[in-house]
Amino acid sequence: MTGFDVRPTRWFGRPNGQMEAWVLARDGAVETPVRTRGPVRQLQKRNGAVLAAADFNLIMAQLRRAHAAAQAGGGVVVR
């Protein structure tokens, strides 16, 4: 794993106002089911965790800090 990214959620090829978490790997990126709430409930994907933007941003910040610590020190446990 090389890190994490936040990208707009696409629905039928178009952004729908949600953001989603991606895990970055050396050979590509993997979409996770973790995303923010969208502005219109009907346009939200129905699978996975849907979080308030503040909670989503907090989780992404914690993941990035844990990843940086693991890269610097050889491993970390996140609770």
Side-chain angles (χ1 to χ4, degrees), residues 1-22:
M1 183 184 68
T2 62
F4 300 94
D5 194 15
V6 176
R7 300 179 182 180
T9 300
R10 301 187 74 76
W11 206 45
F12 295 110
R14 303 178 74 185
N16 72 349
Q18 288 177 278
M19 300 302 285
E20 59 192 10
W22 286 69

Side-chain angles (χ1 to χ4, degrees), residues 15-36:
N16 72 349
Q18 288 177 278
M19 300 302 285
E20 59 192 10
W22 286 69
V23 175
L24 305 179
R26 286 181 182 84
D27 58 348
V30 178
E31 178 184 5
T32 74
V34 180
R35 59 190 40 87
T36 62

Side-chain angles (χ1 to χ4, degrees), residues 3 8-9 15 23 26 29 33 42-43 49 51 53-54 56-57 59 66 72 79:
T9 300
V23 175
R26 286 181 182 84
Q42 298 92 303
L43 297 180
L51 305 173
F56 179 87
N57 293 337
I59 287 170
R79 296 178 190 190

